[in-house]
Coordinates of all heavy atoms in Angstrom, one line a residue:
M1 N 0.8 -1.2 0.0 CA 0.0 0.0 0.0 C 0.9 1.2 0.0 O 1.9 1.2 0.6 CB -0.9 0.0 1.3 CG -2.3 -0.3 1.0 SD -3.3 0.0 2.4 CE -3.5 -1.6 3.1
S2 N 0.4 2.3 -0.7 CA 1.1 3.6 -0.7 C 0.2 4.7 -0.5 O -1.0 4.5 -0.6 CB 1.9 3.7 -2.0 OG 1.0 3.8 -3.1
R3 N 0.7 5.8 -0.1 CA -0.1 7.0 0.2 C 0.0 8.0 -0.9 O 1.1 8.3 -1.3 CB 0.3 7.6 1.5 CG -0.7 8.6 2.1 CD -0.4 8.8 3.5 NE -1.4 9.5 4.2 CZ -2.6 9.1 4.6 NH1 -2.9 7.9 4.3 NH2 -3.4 9.9 5.3
L4 N -1.1 8.3 -1.6 CA -1.1 9.3 -2.7 C -2.0 10.4 -2.3 O -3.2 10.3 -2.2 CB -1.6 8.6 -3.9 CG -1.7 9.4 -5.2 CD1 -0.2 9.8 -5.6 CD2 -2.3 8.7 -6.3
G5 N -1.4 11.6 -1.9 CA -2.2 12.7 -1.4 C -2.8 12.2 -0.1 O -2.2 11.7 0.8
S6 N -4.1 12.4 0.0 CA -4.9 12.0 1.2 C -5.5 10.6 1.0 O -6.2 10.1 1.8 CB -6.0 13.0 1.5 OG -6.9 13.1 0.4
Q7 N -5.2 10.0 -0.2 CA -5.8 8.7 -0.5 C -4.8 7.6 -0.3 O -3.6 7.7 -0.6 CB -6.3 8.6 -1.9 CG -7.4 9.6 -2.2 CD -7.9 9.5 -3.6 OE1 -7.1 9.1 -4.5 NE2 -9.1 10.0 -3.9
V8 N -5.2 6.4 0.2 CA -4.4 5.3 0.4 C -4.7 4.4 -0.9 O -5.8 4.1 -1.2 CB -4.7 4.5 1.7 CG1 -3.9 3.2 1.7 CG2 -4.4 5.4 2.9
V9 N -3.6 4.0 -1.6 CA -3.7 3.3 -2.8 C -3.1 1.9 -2.6 O -2.0 1.8 -2.2 CB -2.9 4.0 -4.0 CG1 -3.0 3.2 -5.2 CG2 -3.5 5.4 -4.2
N10 N -3.9 0.9 -2.9 CA -3.4 -0.5 -2.9 C -2.9 -0.8 -4.3 O -3.6 -0.8 -5.2 CB -4.6 -1.4 -2.6 CG -4.2 -2.8 -2.4 OD1 -3.2 -3.2 -3.0 ND2 -5.0 -3.6 -1.6
N11 N -1.6 -1.0 -4.3 CA -0.9 -1.3 -5.6 C -1.4 -2.5 -6.4 O -1.5 -2.5 -7.6 CB 0.6 -1.4 -5.4 CG 1.3 -0.1 -5.0 OD1 0.7 1.0 -5.3 ND2 2.4 -0.2 -4.3
D12 N -1.8 -3.5 -5.6 CA -2.3 -4.7 -6.3 C -3.7 -4.4 -7.0 O -3.9 -4.8 -8.1 CB -2.5 -5.8 -5.3 CG -1.2 -6.4 -4.7 OD1 -0.2 -6.2 -5.5 OD2 -1.2 -6.9 -3.6
T13 N -4.5 -3.6 -6.3 CA -5.8 -3.3 -6.9 C -5.6 -2.3 -8.1 O -6.3 -2.5 -9.1 CB -6.7 -2.6 -5.8 OG1 -6.8 -3.5 -4.7 CG2 -8.1 -2.2 -6.3
S14 N -4.7 -1.4 -8.0 CA -4.5 -0.5 -9.1 C -4.0 -1.2 -10.3 O -4.4 -1.0 -11.4 CB -3.4 0.6 -8.7 OG -3.9 1.4 -7.6
T15 N -3.1 -2.2 -10.1 CA -2.5 -2.9 -11.2 C -3.6 -3.8 -11.9 O -3.7 -3.9 -13.1 CB -1.4 -3.8 -10.7 OG1 -0.4 -3.0 -10.1 CG2 -0.8 -4.6 -11.9
A16 N -4.5 -4.4 -11.0 CA -5.6 -5.2 -11.6 C -6.5 -4.4 -12.3 O -7.0 -4.7 -13.4 CB -6.3 -6.0 -10.4
S17 N -6.8 -3.2 -11.8 CA -7.8 -2.2 -12.5 C -7.2 -1.8 -13.8 O -8.0 -1.8 -14.8 CB -8.0 -1.0 -11.6 OG -8.7 -1.4 -10.4
L18 N -5.9 -1.5 -13.9 CA -5.3 -1.1 -15.1 C -5.4 -2.3 -16.1 O -5.6 -2.1 -17.3 CB -3.9 -0.6 -14.9 CG -3.7 0.7 -14.3 CD1 -2.3 1.0 -14.0 CD2 -4.3 1.8 -15.1
G19 N -5.1 -3.5 -15.7 CA -5.2 -4.6 -16.5 C -6.6 -4.8 -17.1 O -6.7 -5.1 -18.3
L20 N -7.6 -4.7 -16.2 CA -9.0 -4.8 -16.7 C -9.3 -3.8 -17.7 O -9.9 -4.0 -18.7 CB -9.9 -4.8 -15.5 CG -11.4 -4.8 -15.8 CD1 -11.7 -6.1 -16.4 CD2 -12.2 -4.6 -14.5
L21 N -8.9 -2.5 -17.4 CA -9.2 -1.4 -18.4 C -8.5 -1.7 -19.7 O -9.1 -1.4 -20.8 CB -8.7 -0.1 -17.8 CG -9.6 0.5 -16.7 CD1 -9.0 1.7 -16.1 CD2 -11.0 0.9 -17.2
R22 N -7.3 -2.2 -19.7 CA -6.6 -2.5 -20.9 C -7.3 -3.6 -21.7 O -7.5 -3.4 -22.9 CB -5.1 -2.9 -20.6 CG -4.3 -3.0 -21.8 CD -2.8 -3.3 -21.5 NE -2.2 -2.2 -20.8 CZ -1.6 -2.2 -19.6 NH1 -1.5 -3.4 -19.0 NH2 -1.1 -1.2 -19.0
R23 N -7.7 -4.6 -21.0 CA -8.4 -5.7 -21.7 C -9.8 -5.2 -22.3 O -10.1 -5.6 -23.4 CB -8.7 -6.9 -20.8 CG -7.4 -7.7 -20.5 CD -7.7 -9.0 -19.8 NE -8.5 -8.9 -18.6 CZ -7.9 -8.7 -17.4 NH1 -6.6 -8.5 -17.2 NH2 -8.7 -8.6 -16.3
V24 N -10.5 -4.4 -21.5 CA -11.8 -3.9 -22.0 C -11.5 -3.0 -23.3 O -12.2 -3.0 -24.3 CB -12.5 -3.1 -20.9 CG1 -13.7 -2.3 -21.5 CG2 -13.0 -4.1 -19.9
G25 N -10.5 -2.1 -23.2 CA -10.2 -1.3 -24.3 C -9.8 -2.0 -25.5 O -10.2 -1.7 -26.7
L26 N -9.0 -3.1 -25.4 CA -8.6 -3.9 -26.5 C -9.8 -4.6 -27.1 O -10.0 -4.7 -28.4 CB -7.6 -4.9 -26.1 CG -6.2 -4.3 -25.9 CD1 -5.2 -5.4 -25.3 CD2 -5.6 -3.7 -27.1
R27 N -10.7 -5.1 -26.3 CA -11.9 -5.7 -26.8 C -12.8 -4.8 -27.6 O -13.3 -5.1 -28.6 CB -12.7 -6.3 -25.6 CG -13.9 -7.0 -26.0 CD -13.6 -8.3 -26.7 NE -14.9 -9.0 -27.0 CZ -15.1 -9.6 -28.1 NH1 -14.2 -9.6 -29.0 NH2 -16.3 -10.1 -28.3
L28 N -13.0 -3.5 -27.1 CA -13.7 -2.5 -27.8 C -13.1 -2.2 -29.1 O -13.8 -2.1 -30.1 CB -13.9 -1.2 -27.0 CG -14.8 -1.3 -25.7 CD1 -14.6 -0.1 -24.9 CD2 -16.2 -1.5 -26.2
L29 N -11.8 -2.1 -29.2 CA -11.1 -1.9 -30.5 C -11.4 -3.1 -31.5 O -11.6 -2.8 -32.7 CB -9.6 -1.7 -30.3 CG -9.2 -0.4 -29.7 CD1 -7.7 -0.4 -29.4 CD2 -9.6 0.8 -30.6
E30 N -11.3 -4.3 -31.0 CA -11.6 -5.5 -31.8 C -13.0 -5.4 -32.4 O -13.2 -5.6 -33.6 CB -11.4 -6.8 -31.0 CG -10.0 -7.1 -30.7 CD -9.9 -8.3 -29.8 OE1 -10.9 -9.0 -29.6 OE2 -8.8 -8.6 -29.3
V31 N -14.0 -5.1 -31.5 CA -15.4 -5.0 -32.0 C -15.6 -3.9 -33.0 O -16.2 -4.1 -34.0 CB -16.3 -4.8 -30.7 CG1 -17.7 -4.5 -31.2 CG2 -16.3 -6.1 -29.9
A32 N -15.0 -2.7 -32.7 CA -15.1 -1.6 -33.7 C -14.5 -1.9 -35.0 O -15.0 -1.6 -36.1 CB -14.5 -0.4 -33.1
H33 N -13.4 -2.7 -35.0 CA -12.7 -3.0 -36.2 C -13.5 -4.0 -37.1 O -13.7 -3.9 -38.3 CB -11.3 -3.6 -35.9 CG -10.6 -4.0 -37.2 ND1 -10.0 -3.1 -38.0 CD2 -10.3 -5.2 -37.7 CE1 -9.5 -3.7 -39.0 NE2 -9.6 -5.0 -38.9
R34 N -14.1 -5.0 -36.4 CA -15.0 -5.9 -37.1 C -16.2 -5.3 -37.7 O -16.7 -5.7 -38.7 CB -15.4 -7.1 -36.2 CG -14.3 -8.1 -36.1 CD -14.9 -9.4 -35.5 NE -15.7 -9.2 -34.4 CZ -15.3 -9.4 -33.1 NH1 -14.1 -9.9 -32.9 NH2 -16.1 -9.2 -32.1
A35 N -16.8 -4.3 -37.0 CA -18.0 -3.6 -37.4 C -17.8 -2.7 -38.5 O -18.8 -2.3 -39.2 CB -18.6 -2.9 -36.2
R36 N -16.6 -2.3 -38.8 CA -16.3 -1.4 -39.9 C -16.6 -2.0 -41.3 O -16.1 -3.1 -41.5 CB -14.8 -1.0 -39.9 CG -14.5 0.2 -40.7 CD -13.0 0.6 -40.6 NE -12.7 0.8 -39.2 CZ -11.6 0.7 -38.6 NH1 -10.6 0.3 -39.3 NH2 -11.4 0.9 -37.3
P37 N -17.5 -1.4 -42.1 CA -17.8 -2.0 -43.4 C -16.6 -2.0 -44.3 O -15.7 -1.1 -44.2 CB -18.9 -1.1 -43.9 CG -18.8 0.2 -43.2 CD -18.2 -0.2 -41.8
A38 N -16.5 -2.9 -45.2 CA -15.4 -2.9 -46.2 C -15.6 -1.7 -47.1 O -16.6 -1.2 -47.5 CB -15.6 -4.2 -47.1
R39 N -14.4 -1.1 -47.5 CA -14.4 0.1 -48.3 C -14.8 -0.3 -49.7 O -14.3 -1.3 -50.3 CB -13.0 0.7 -48.3 CG -12.7 1.3 -46.9 CD -11.5 2.1 -47.0 NE -11.1 2.6 -45.7 CZ -11.5 3.8 -45.3 NH1 -12.2 4.6 -46.0 NH2 -11.1 4.2 -44.1
R40 N -15.6 0.5 -50.4 CA -16.1 0.2 -51.7 C -15.4 1.1 -52.7 O -15.4 0.8 -53.9 CB -17.6 0.4 -51.8 CG -18.4 -0.5 -50.9 CD -19.9 -0.1 -50.9 NE -20.4 0.0 -52.3 CZ -21.4 0.8 -52.6 NH1 -22.0 1.5 -51.8 NH2 -21.8 0.8 -53.9
M41 N -14.7 2.1 -52.3 CA -14.1 3.0 -53.2 C -12.7 3.3 -52.8 O -12.4 3.4 -51.6 CB -14.9 4.3 -53.3 CG -14.3 5.4 -54.2 SD -15.3 6.8 -54.3 CE -14.8 7.7 -52.9
R42 N -11.7 3.4 -53.7 CA -10.4 3.8 -53.4 C -9.8 4.5 -54.6 O -10.1 4.2 -55.7 CB -9.5 2.6 -53.0 CG -9.2 1.7 -54.1 CD -8.5 0.4 -53.5 NE -8.1 -0.4 -54.6 CZ -6.8 -0.6 -55.1 NH1 -5.9 0.1 -54.5 NH2 -6.6 -1.4 -56.1
V43 N -8.9 5.5 -54.3 CA -8.1 6.1 -55.3 C -6.9 5.3 -55.6 O -6.0 5.1 -54.7 CB -7.7 7.6 -54.9 CG1 -6.8 8.2 -55.9 CG2 -9.0 8.4 -54.7
V44 N -6.8 4.7 -56.8 CA -5.7 3.8 -57.1 C -4.4 4.6 -57.3 O -3.3 4.3 -56.9 CB -6.0 2.9 -58.3 CG1 -4.8 2.1 -58.7 CG2 -7.2 2.1 -58.0
E45 N -4.6 5.7 -58.1 CA -3.4 6.6 -58.5 C -3.9 8.0 -58.8 O -5.0 8.1 -59.3 CB -2.7 6.0 -59.7 CG -1.4 6.5 -59.9 CD -0.6 5.7 -61.0 OE1 -0.9 4.6 -61.2 OE2 0.3 6.3 -61.5
S46 N -3.1 9.0 -58.5 CA -3.4 10.3 -58.9 C -2.2 11.0 -59.6 O -1.1 10.6 -59.3 CB -3.9 11.2 -57.7 OG -2.8 11.3 -56.8
L47 N -2.5 11.9 -60.5 CA -1.5 12.6 -61.3 C -1.8 14.0 -61.3 O -2.9 14.4 -61.8 CB -1.4 12.0 -62.7 CG -0.5 12.6 -63.7 CD1 1.0 12.3 -63.2 CD2 -0.7 12.0 -65.1
A48 N -0.9 14.9 -60.8 CA -1.0 16.3 -60.9 C -0.9 16.8 -62.3 O 0.0 16.4 -63.0 CB 0.0 17.0 -60.0
C49 N -1.8 17.7 -62.7 CA -1.9 18.2 -64.1 C -1.6 19.7 -64.2 O -1.9 20.3 -65.2 CB -3.2 17.9 -64.8 SG -3.6 16.1 -64.9
G50 N -1.1 20.3 -63.2 CA -0.8 21.7 -63.2 C -1.9 22.4 -62.4 O -3.0 22.1 -62.5
G51 N -1.5 23.5 -61.8 CA -2.4 24.2 -61.0 C -3.0 23.3 -59.9 O -2.3 22.6 -59.2
K52 N -4.3 23.3 -59.7 CA -5.0 22.5 -58.7 C -5.7 21.3 -59.4 O -6.4 20.6 -58.8 CB -6.0 23.3 -57.9 CG -5.4 24.5 -57.2 CD -5.3 24.2 -55.8 CE -4.7 25.5 -55.1 NZ -4.5 25.3 -53.7
A53 N -5.4 21.1 -60.7 CA -6.1 20.0 -61.4 C -5.3 18.7 -61.3 O -4.1 18.7 -61.1 CB -6.2 20.3 -62.9
Q54 N -6.1 17.6 -61.2 CA -5.4 16.3 -61.2 C -6.3 15.2 -61.9 O -7.5 15.4 -62.0 CB -5.1 15.9 -59.7 CG -6.3 15.8 -58.8 CD -5.9 15.4 -57.4 OE1 -4.9 14.9 -57.2 NE2 -6.8 15.8 -56.4
L55 N -5.6 14.2 -62.3 CA -6.2 13.1 -63.0 C -6.2 11.9 -62.0 O -5.2 11.7 -61.3 CB -5.4 12.7 -64.2 CG -6.0 11.8 -65.2 CD1 -7.3 12.3 -65.8 CD2 -5.0 11.5 -66.4
L56 N -7.3 11.3 -61.8 CA -7.5 10.2 -60.8 C -7.9 8.9 -61.5 O -8.8 8.9 -62.3 CB -8.5 10.6 -59.8 CG -8.3 11.9 -59.1 CD1 -9.6 12.4 -58.4 CD2 -7.3 11.8 -58.1
L57 N -7.3 7.8 -61.0 CA -7.8 6.5 -61.4 C -8.5 6.0 -60.1 O -7.8 5.8 -59.0 CB -6.6 5.6 -61.7 CG -6.9 4.1 -62.0 CD1 -7.9 4.0 -63.2 CD2 -5.7 3.3 -62.4
V58 N -9.8 5.8 -60.2 CA -10.6 5.4 -59.0 C -11.2 4.1 -59.2 O -11.7 3.8 -60.3 CB -11.7 6.5 -58.8 CG1 -12.6 6.2 -57.6 CG2 -11.1 7.9 -58.7
E59 N -11.2 3.2 -58.2 CA -11.9 1.9 -58.3 C -13.1 2.0 -57.3 O -13.0 2.3 -56.2 CB -10.9 0.8 -57.8 CG -11.4 -0.5 -58.0 CD -10.4 -1.6 -57.6 OE1 -9.5 -1.9 -58.5 OE2 -10.5 -2.0 -56.5
I60 N -14.3 1.6 -57.9 CA -15.5 1.6 -57.1 C -16.1 0.3 -57.4 O -16.5 -0.1 -58.5 CB -16.5 2.7 -57.5 CG1 -15.8 4.1 -57.4 CG2 -17.8 2.7 -56.8 CD1 -16.6 5.3 -57.9
D61 N -16.3 -0.5 -56.3 CA -16.9 -1.9 -56.4 C -16.2 -2.7 -57.5 O -16.9 -3.4 -58.2 CB -18.4 -1.8 -56.7 CG -19.2 -1.3 -55.5 OD1 -18.7 -1.4 -54.3 OD2 -20.3 -0.7 -55.6
G62 N -14.9 -2.6 -57.6 CA -14.2 -3.4 -58.5 C -14.1 -2.9 -59.9 O -13.5 -3.4 -60.8
K63 N -14.8 -1.8 -60.2 CA -14.8 -1.2 -61.5 C -13.9 0.1 -61.5 O -13.9 0.8 -60.5 CB -16.2 -0.8 -61.9 CG -17.2 -2.0 -62.0 CD -18.6 -1.5 -62.3 CE -19.5 -2.8 -62.3 NZ -20.9 -2.4 -62.3
S64 N -13.2 0.3 -62.6 CA -12.2 1.4 -62.7 C -12.8 2.6 -63.5 O -13.5 2.4 -64.5 CB -10.9 0.9 -63.3 OG -10.3 0.0 -62.5
F65 N -12.5 3.8 -63.0 CA -12.9 5.0 -63.6 C -11.8 6.0 -63.7 O -11.0 6.0 -62.8 CB -14.1 5.7 -62.8 CG -15.3 4.8 -62.8 CD1 -15.5 3.9 -61.7 CD2 -16.3 4.9 -63.7 CE1 -16.6 3.1 -61.6 CE2 -17.5 4.1 -63.6 CZ -17.6 3.2 -62.6
L66 N -11.7 6.7 -64.8 CA -10.8 7.8 -64.9 C -11.5 9.1 -64.6 O -12.6 9.3 -65.2 CB -10.2 7.8 -66.3 CG -9.0 8.6 -66.6 CD1 -7.8 8.2 -65.6 CD2 -8.5 8.5 -68.0
A67 N -11.0 9.9 -63.7 CA -11.8 11.1 -63.4 C -10.8 12.3 -63.3 O -9.6 12.1 -63.1 CB -12.4 11.0 -62.0
A68 N -11.3 13.5 -63.6 CA -10.5 14.7 -63.5 C -11.0 15.5 -62.3 O -12.3 15.6 -62.2 CB -10.6 15.5 -64.8
G69 N -10.2 16.1 -61.5 CA -10.6 16.9 -60.4 C -9.9 18.2 -60.4 O -8.8 18.4 -60.8
G70 N -10.6 19.2 -59.9 CA -10.1 20.5 -59.7 C -10.5 21.1 -58.4 O -10.9 20.3 -57.5
T71 N -10.5 22.4 -58.2 CA -10.8 23.0 -56.9 C -12.3 23.0 -56.7 O -12.7 23.0 -55.5 CB -10.3 24.5 -56.9 OG1 -10.9 25.2 -58.0 CG2 -8.8 24.5 -56.9
D72 N -13.1 22.9 -57.7 CA -14.6 23.1 -57.5 C -15.4 21.9 -58.0 O -16.6 21.9 -57.7 CB -15.1 24.4 -58.1 CG -14.8 24.4 -59.6 OD1 -14.1 23.6 -60.1 OD2 -15.4 25.3 -60.3
A73 N -14.8 20.9 -58.7 CA -15.6 19.8 -59.2 C -14.7 18.6 -59.5 O -13.5 18.7 -59.7 CB -16.3 20.3 -60.5
V74 N -15.4 17.5 -59.6 CA -14.7 16.2 -60.1 C -15.6 15.7 -61.2 O -16.8 15.6 -61.1 CB -14.6 15.2 -59.0 CG1 -14.1 13.9 -59.5 CG2 -13.7 15.7 -57.9
H75 N -15.0 15.4 -62.4 CA -15.8 14.9 -63.5 C -15.3 13.5 -63.9 O -14.1 13.3 -64.0 CB -15.6 15.8 -64.7 CG -16.1 17.2 -64.4 ND1 -17.4 17.6 -64.4 CD2 -15.4 18.3 -64.1 CE1 -17.5 18.9 -64.1 NE2 -16.3 19.3 -63.9
T76 N -16.2 12.6 -64.2 CA -15.9 11.3 -64.7 C -15.6 11.4 -66.2 O -16.4 11.9 -67.0 CB -17.0 10.3 -64.5 OG1 -17.3 10.2 -63.2 CG2 -16.6 8.9 -65.1
L77 N -14.4 11.0 -66.6 CA -14.0 11.1 -68.0 C -14.3 9.8 -68.7 O -14.7 9.8 -69.9 CB -12.5 11.5 -68.1 CG -12.1 12.8 -67.5 CD1 -10.6 12.9 -67.7 CD2 -12.8 13.9 -68.2
L78 N -14.1 8.7 -68.1 CA -14.1 7.4 -68.7 C -14.3 6.3 -67.8 O -13.7 6.2 -66.7 CB -12.8 7.2 -69.5 CG -12.6 6.0 -70.4 CD1 -13.6 6.0 -71.5 CD2 -11.2 6.0 -70.9
A79 N -15.3 5.4 -68.1 CA -15.4 4.2 -67.3 C -14.6 3.2 -68.0 O -14.8 2.9 -69.2 CB -16.9 3.7 -67.2
L80 N -13.5 2.7 -67.4 CA -12.6 1.8 -68.0 C -13.1 0.3 -68.0 O -13.8 -0.1 -67.1 CB -11.3 1.8 -67.2 CG -10.6 3.2 -67.2 CD1 -9.4 3.1 -66.2 CD2 -10.2 3.6 -68.5
P81 N -12.9 -0.3 -69.2 CA -13.4 -1.7 -69.3 C -12.7 -2.6 -68.3 O -11.5 -2.4 -68.0 CB -13.1 -2.1 -70.7 CG -12.0 -1.2 -71.2 CD -12.2 0.1 -70.4
G82 N -13.3 -3.7 -67.8 CA -12.7 -4.6 -66.9 C -11.7 -5.5 -67.7 O -11.8 -5.6 -68.9
E83 N -10.8 -6.1 -66.9 CA -9.8 -7.0 -67.6 C -10.5 -8.3 -67.9 O -11.3 -8.8 -67.2 CB -8.7 -7.3 -66.6 CG -7.9 -6.0 -66.3 CD -6.7 -6.4 -65.3 OE1 -6.5 -7.6 -65.0 OE2 -6.1 -5.4 -64.9
S84 N -10.2 -8.9 -69.1 CA -10.7 -10.2 -69.5 C -9.9 -11.3 -68.8 O -8.7 -11.2 -68.8 CB -10.7 -10.3 -71.0 OG -9.4 -10.2 -71.5
S85 N -10.6 -12.3 -68.3 CA -9.9 -13.4 -67.6 C -9.5 -14.5 -68.6 O -10.1 -14.9 -69.5 CB -10.7 -14.0 -66.5 OG -11.0 -13.0 -65.6

């Protein structure tokens, strides 16, 4: 036992409490990670085209799109055909 300010602290209880909090925190992180839905969209590659414009290769639900983006808008230029197996 140790004295912390005006409180008496039992080191065994404090260590057990920290262990319990750590286990609960890790469990919450595991649950939150499993509950996260799979991402449906990702930017595969981007290319700066001068100024604030850029060309983007975007994949959405396994389909590829070429898009152009600027400061105020993004436009789909082309839906790319899928690869033949």
Side-chain angles (χ1 to χ4, degrees):
M1 255 193 258
S2 64
R3 192 163 191 73
L4 182 63
S6 62
Q7 297 177 337
V8 175
V9 177
N10 183 334
N11 290 335
D12 293 335
T13 304
S14 296
T15 303
S17 296
L18 287 175
L20 177 62
L21 285 174
R22 187 174 295 125
R23 285 192 305 273
V24 168
L26 288 173
R27 181 70 178 136
L28 288 172
L29 285 174
E30 288 174 8
V31 169
H33 181 70
R34 277 197 312 260
R36 190 176 307 152
R39 295 191 181 266
R40 297 176 50 209
M41 181 176 78
R42 70 185 183 106
V43 175
V44 177
E45 194 169 339
S46 65
L47 177 67
C49 297
K52 303 252 182 185
Q54 58 182 338
L55 191 59
L56 304 163
L57 177 58
V58 181
E59 186 177 278
I60 302 171
D61 289 335
K63 298 176 184 166
S64 296
F65 298 89
L66 193 58
T71 57
D72 58 349
V74 175
H75 302 281
T76 302
L77 299 177
L78 183 64
L80 301 173
E83 295 180 8
S84 57
S85 299

